[in-house]
Coordinates of all heavy atoms in Angstrom, one line a residue:
E270 N 75.7 119.5 83.8 CA 76.4 120.6 83.2 C 77.9 120.4 83.0 O 78.5 120.8 82.0 CB 76.2 121.9 84.0 CG 76.9 123.1 83.5 CD 76.8 124.2 84.5 OE1 75.7 124.3 85.2 OE2 77.7 125.1 84.6
V271 N 78.5 119.7 84.0 CA 80.0 119.5 83.9 C 80.4 118.2 83.4 O 81.6 117.9 83.2 CB 80.6 119.7 85.3 CG1 80.3 121.1 85.8 CG2 80.2 118.7 86.3
L272 N 79.5 117.2 83.1 CA 79.9 115.9 82.7 C 80.7 115.9 81.4 O 81.7 115.2 81.3 CB 78.7 115.0 82.5 CG 78.2 114.2 83.7 CD1 76.9 113.5 83.5 CD2 79.3 113.2 84.1
K273 N 80.3 116.7 80.5 CA 81.1 116.8 79.2 C 82.5 117.3 79.4 O 83.5 116.7 78.9 CB 80.3 117.7 78.2 CG 81.0 117.7 76.8 CD 80.2 118.5 75.8 CE 80.8 118.4 74.4 NZ 80.0 119.2 73.4
E274 N 82.6 118.3 80.3 CA 84.0 118.8 80.6 C 84.8 117.8 81.3 O 86.0 117.6 81.0 CB 83.8 120.1 81.4 CG 85.2 120.7 81.8 CD 85.0 121.9 82.7 OE1 83.9 122.4 82.9 OE2 86.1 122.3 83.3
A275 N 84.2 117.1 82.3 CA 84.9 116.1 83.1 C 85.3 114.9 82.2 O 86.4 114.4 82.4 CB 84.0 115.6 84.2
N276 N 84.5 114.6 81.2 CA 84.8 113.5 80.3 C 85.9 113.9 79.3 O 86.6 113.0 78.7 CB 83.6 113.1 79.5 CG 83.7 111.8 78.7 OD1 84.0 110.8 79.3 ND2 83.6 111.9 77.4
G277 N 86.2 115.2 79.2 CA 87.2 115.6 78.2 C 88.6 115.5 78.6 O 89.5 116.4 78.4
V278 N 89.0 114.4 79.3 CA 90.4 114.1 79.7 C 90.9 112.9 79.0 O 90.2 112.1 78.4 CB 90.4 113.9 81.2 CG1 90.0 115.1 82.0 CG2 89.7 112.6 81.6
S279 N 92.2 112.8 78.9 CA 92.9 111.7 78.4 C 94.1 111.3 79.2 O 94.7 112.2 79.9 CB 93.3 111.9 76.9 OG 94.2 113.0 76.8
R280 N 94.5 110.1 79.2 CA 95.6 109.7 79.9 C 96.9 109.9 79.1 O 96.8 109.7 77.9 CB 95.5 108.2 80.4 CG 94.4 108.0 81.5 CD 94.4 106.6 82.0 NE 93.4 106.4 83.0 CZ 93.7 106.6 84.3 NH1 94.9 106.9 84.7 NH2 92.7 106.4 85.2
Q281 N 98.0 110.2 79.7 CA 99.3 110.3 79.1 C 100.4 109.9 79.9 O 100.2 109.8 81.2 CB 99.5 111.8 78.7 CG 99.5 112.7 79.9 CD 99.5 114.2 79.5 OE1 98.5 114.7 79.0 NE2 100.6 114.9 79.7
P282 N 101.5 109.5 79.4 CA 102.6 109.0 80.2 C 103.2 110.1 81.1 O 103.4 111.2 80.7 CB 103.7 108.6 79.2 CG 103.0 108.4 77.9 CD 101.8 109.4 77.9
V283 N 103.3 109.8 82.4 CA 103.8 110.7 83.4 C 104.8 110.0 84.3 O 104.7 108.8 84.4 CB 102.7 111.3 84.3 CG1 101.8 112.2 83.4 CG2 102.0 110.2 85.0
P284 N 105.8 110.7 84.8 CA 106.8 110.0 85.7 C 106.2 109.5 86.9 O 105.2 110.1 87.5 CB 107.8 111.1 86.0 CG 107.6 112.2 85.0 CD 106.1 112.1 84.6
A285 N 106.7 108.4 87.5 CA 106.2 107.8 88.7 C 106.4 108.6 89.9 O 105.8 108.3 91.0 CB 106.8 106.4 88.9
H286 N 107.1 109.8 89.8 CA 107.2 110.6 91.0 C 105.8 111.3 91.3 O 105.7 111.8 92.4 CB 108.3 111.7 90.8 CG 108.0 112.8 89.9 ND1 108.6 112.9 88.7 CD2 107.1 113.8 89.9 CE1 108.2 114.0 88.0 NE2 107.2 114.5 88.8
H287 N 104.9 111.2 90.4 CA 103.5 111.7 90.7 C 102.7 110.7 91.6 O 101.6 111.0 92.0 CB 102.8 112.0 89.4 CG 103.3 113.1 88.7 ND1 103.1 114.4 89.1 CD2 104.0 113.2 87.5 CE1 103.7 115.2 88.2 NE2 104.2 114.5 87.3
L288 N 103.2 109.5 91.9 CA 102.5 108.6 92.7 C 102.6 109.0 94.2 O 103.7 109.4 94.7 CB 103.1 107.2 92.6 CG 102.8 106.4 91.4 CD1 103.7 105.1 91.3 CD2 101.3 106.1 91.3
K289 N 101.5 109.0 94.9 CA 101.4 109.2 96.3 C 100.6 108.0 96.8 O 99.3 108.0 96.7 CB 100.7 110.5 96.7 CG 101.6 111.7 96.5 CD 101.0 113.0 97.0 CE 101.9 114.2 96.9 NZ 101.3 115.4 97.4
V290 N 101.2 107.1 97.4 CA 100.6 105.8 97.7 C 100.4 105.7 99.3 O 101.3 105.8 100.0 CB 101.4 104.6 97.2 CG1 100.7 103.3 97.6 CG2 101.6 104.7 95.7
A291 N 99.1 105.5 99.7 CA 98.8 105.3 101.0 C 99.0 103.8 101.4 O 98.6 102.9 100.6 CB 97.3 105.6 101.3
L292 N 99.7 103.5 102.5 CA 100.0 102.2 102.9 C 99.1 101.8 104.1 O 99.1 102.5 105.1 CB 101.5 102.1 103.4 CG 102.5 102.6 102.4 CD1 103.9 102.6 103.0 CD2 102.5 101.8 101.1
Q293 N 98.3 100.7 103.9 CA 97.4 100.3 104.9 C 97.5 98.8 105.1 O 97.8 98.0 104.2 CB 96.0 100.6 104.4 CG 95.5 102.1 104.7 CD 95.4 102.3 106.2 OE1 94.9 101.5 107.0 NE2 95.7 103.5 106.6
C294 N 97.1 98.4 106.3 CA 97.0 96.9 106.6 C 95.8 96.8 107.5 O 95.6 97.6 108.4 CB 98.2 96.3 107.2 SG 98.8 96.9 108.7
G295 N 95.0 95.7 107.3 CA 93.8 95.5 108.1 C 93.5 94.0 108.1 O 93.7 93.4 107.2
G296 N 92.9 93.6 109.2 CA 92.6 92.2 109.3 C 94.0 91.4 109.3 O 94.1 90.4 108.5
S297 N 94.9 91.9 110.0 CA 96.3 91.3 110.0 C 96.3 89.9 110.6 O 95.5 89.5 111.4 CB 97.3 92.2 110.7 OG 97.3 93.5 110.1
D298 N 97.3 89.1 110.2 CA 97.6 87.8 110.8 C 99.1 87.6 111.0 O 99.8 88.5 110.8 CB 97.0 86.7 109.9 CG 97.7 86.5 108.6 OD1 98.6 87.4 108.3 OD2 97.4 85.6 107.9
G299 N 99.4 86.4 111.5 CA 100.8 86.1 111.7 C 101.7 86.2 110.5 O 103.0 86.2 110.7
Y300 N 101.1 86.1 109.3 CA 101.9 86.2 108.1 C 102.1 87.6 107.6 O 102.9 87.9 106.7 CB 101.2 85.4 107.0 CG 101.1 83.9 107.3 CD1 99.9 83.3 107.3 CD2 102.2 83.1 107.6 CE1 99.7 81.9 107.5 CE2 102.1 81.8 107.9 CZ 100.8 81.2 107.9 OH 100.7 79.9 108.1
S301 N 101.3 88.6 108.1 CA 101.4 90.0 107.6 C 102.8 90.5 107.6 O 103.2 91.1 106.6 CB 100.4 90.9 108.4 OG 99.1 90.5 108.2
G302 N 103.5 90.4 108.7 CA 104.8 90.9 108.8 C 105.9 90.0 108.2 O 107.1 90.3 108.3
V303 N 105.5 88.9 107.6 CA 106.4 88.0 107.0 C 106.3 88.0 105.4 O 107.3 87.8 104.8 CB 106.1 86.5 107.5 CG1 107.0 85.5 106.9 CG2 106.2 86.5 109.0
S304 N 105.1 88.2 104.9 CA 105.0 88.2 103.5 C 104.5 89.5 102.9 O 105.3 90.3 102.3 CB 104.0 87.1 103.1 OG 102.7 87.3 103.6
A305 N 103.2 89.8 103.0 CA 102.7 91.0 102.3 C 103.3 92.3 102.7 O 103.6 93.2 101.9 CB 101.2 91.0 102.5
N306 N 103.5 92.5 104.0 CA 104.0 93.8 104.5 C 105.4 94.1 104.0 O 105.8 95.1 103.5 CB 103.9 94.0 106.0 CG 102.4 94.2 106.4 OD1 101.5 94.4 105.6 ND2 102.2 94.2 107.7
P307 N 106.4 93.1 104.2 CA 107.7 93.4 103.7 C 107.8 93.4 102.2 O 108.6 94.2 101.6 CB 108.5 92.2 104.3 CG 107.6 91.2 104.7 CD 106.3 91.9 105.1
A308 N 106.9 92.7 101.5 CA 106.9 92.8 100.0 C 106.4 94.2 99.6 O 106.9 94.8 98.7 CB 106.0 91.7 99.4
L309 N 105.4 94.7 100.3 CA 104.9 96.1 100.0 C 106.0 97.1 100.4 O 106.2 98.1 99.7 CB 103.6 96.4 100.8 CG 103.0 97.8 100.6 CD1 102.8 98.1 99.1 CD2 101.7 97.9 101.4
G310 N 106.8 96.7 101.4 CA 108.0 97.6 101.7 C 109.0 97.7 100.5 O 109.5 98.7 100.3
I311 N 109.2 96.6 99.8 CA 110.0 96.6 98.6 C 109.4 97.5 97.6 O 110.1 98.3 97.0 CB 110.2 95.2 98.1 CG1 111.0 94.3 99.1 CG2 111.0 95.2 96.7 CD1 112.4 94.7 99.4
A312 N 108.1 97.4 97.4 CA 107.4 98.2 96.4 C 107.5 99.7 96.8 O 107.7 100.6 96.0 CB 106.0 97.8 96.3
S313 N 107.4 99.9 98.1 CA 107.5 101.3 98.7 C 108.9 101.9 98.3 O 109.0 103.1 97.9 CB 107.3 101.3 100.2 OG 106.0 101.0 100.5
D314 N 109.9 101.1 98.5 CA 111.3 101.6 98.2 C 111.4 101.9 96.7 O 112.1 102.9 96.3 CB 112.3 100.5 98.6 CG 112.6 100.4 100.1 OD1 112.1 101.3 100.8 OD2 113.3 99.5 100.5
L315 N 110.8 101.1 95.9 CA 110.8 101.3 94.4 C 110.1 102.6 94.1 O 110.5 103.4 93.2 CB 110.2 100.2 93.7 CG 111.0 98.9 93.7 CD1 110.2 97.7 93.1 CD2 112.3 99.0 93.0
I316 N 109.0 102.9 94.7 CA 108.2 104.1 94.5 C 109.1 105.3 94.9 O 109.2 106.3 94.2 CB 106.9 104.1 95.3 CG1 105.9 103.1 94.7 CG2 106.3 105.5 95.3 CD1 104.7 102.8 95.6
V317 N 109.7 105.3 96.1 CA 110.6 106.4 96.6 C 111.8 106.5 95.6 O 112.1 107.7 95.3 CB 111.0 106.1 98.0 CG1 112.0 107.1 98.5 CG2 109.8 106.2 98.9
R318 N 112.4 105.5 95.2 CA 113.5 105.6 94.3 C 113.2 106.1 93.0 O 114.0 106.6 92.2 CB 114.2 104.2 94.2 CG 114.9 103.7 95.4 CD 115.6 102.4 95.2 NE 116.6 102.5 94.2 CZ 117.1 101.5 93.6 NH1 116.7 100.2 93.8 NH2 118.1 101.7 92.7
N319 N 111.9 106.1 92.6 CA 111.4 106.7 91.4 C 110.9 108.2 91.6 O 110.3 108.8 90.8 CB 110.2 105.9 90.8 CG 110.7 104.7 90.0 OD1 111.1 104.9 88.8 ND2 110.7 103.5 90.5
G320 N 111.2 108.7 92.9 CA 110.8 110.0 93.2 C 109.4 110.2 93.8 O 109.0 111.3 94.0
G321 N 108.7 109.1 94.0 CA 107.3 109.2 94.5 C 107.3 109.2 96.0 O 108.3 109.4 96.7
T322 N 106.1 109.1 96.5 CA 105.8 109.3 98.0 C 105.0 108.1 98.5 O 104.0 107.6 97.8 CB 105.0 110.6 98.2 OG1 105.8 111.7 97.7 CG2 104.8 110.7 99.7
V323 N 105.3 107.6 99.6 CA 104.5 106.6 100.3 C 104.1 107.2 101.7 O 105.0 107.8 102.3 CB 105.2 105.2 100.5 CG1 105.5 104.6 99.1 CG2 106.6 105.3 101.2
I324 N 102.9 107.0 102.1 CA 102.4 107.5 103.3 C 101.9 106.4 104.2 O 101.0 105.7 103.9 CB 101.2 108.5 103.0 CG1 101.5 109.5 101.9 CG2 100.7 109.2 104.3 CD1 100.3 110.2 101.4
L325 N 102.7 106.2 105.3 CA 102.3 105.3 106.3 C 101.4 106.0 107.4 O 101.7 107.1 107.7 CB 103.5 104.7 107.0 CG 103.3 103.6 108.0 CD1 102.9 102.3 107.3 CD2 104.6 103.3 108.8
A326 N 100.4 105.3 107.8 CA 99.5 105.9 108.8 C 99.4 105.0 110.1 O 100.4 104.3 110.4 CB 98.1 106.2 108.2
E327 N 98.3 105.1 110.8 CA 98.1 104.2 111.9 C 99.2 104.3 113.0 O 99.9 103.4 113.2 CB 97.9 102.8 111.5 CG 96.8 102.6 110.5 CD 96.6 101.2 109.9 OE1 97.6 100.7 109.4 OE2 95.5 100.7 109.9
T328 N 99.3 105.5 113.6 CA 100.4 105.8 114.5 C 100.4 104.7 115.6 O 101.5 104.3 116.1 CB 100.2 107.2 115.2 OG1 99.9 108.1 114.2 CG2 101.4 107.6 116.0
T329 N 99.2 104.3 116.0 CA 99.2 103.3 117.1 C 99.8 102.0 116.7 O 100.0 101.1 117.6 CB 97.7 103.1 117.5 OG1 96.9 102.8 116.3 CG2 97.1 104.3 118.2
E330 N 100.0 101.8 115.4 CA 100.6 100.5 114.9 C 102.1 100.7 114.6 O 102.7 99.9 113.9 CB 99.8 99.9 113.8 CG 98.4 99.5 114.2 CD 97.6 98.8 113.1 OE1 98.2 98.5 112.1 OE2 96.4 98.6 113.4
S331 N 102.7 101.8 115.1 CA 104.1 101.9 115.2 C 104.6 101.9 116.7 O 105.8 101.9 117.0 CB 104.6 103.2 114.5 OG 104.3 103.2 113.2

Side-chain angles (χ1 to χ4, degrees):
E270 175 187 330
V271 301
L272 268 172
K273 185 175 181 180
E274 179 185 349
N276 190 61
V278 298
S279 59
R280 291 184 177 270
Q281 62 188 72
V283 295
H286 72 248
H287 290 289
L288 285 172
K289 286 188 176 181
V290 179
L292 309 175
Q293 277 291 321
C294 57
S297 301
D298 67 353
Y300 298 124
S301 294
V303 179
S304 62
N306 287 353
L309 181 53
I311 296 296
S313 293
D314 285 350
L315 293 173
I316 291 167
V317 172
R318 291 182 63 199
N319 276 282
T322 302
V323 295
I324 308 168
L325 185 70
E327 301 175 311
T328 313
T329 51
E330 295 186 8
S331 298

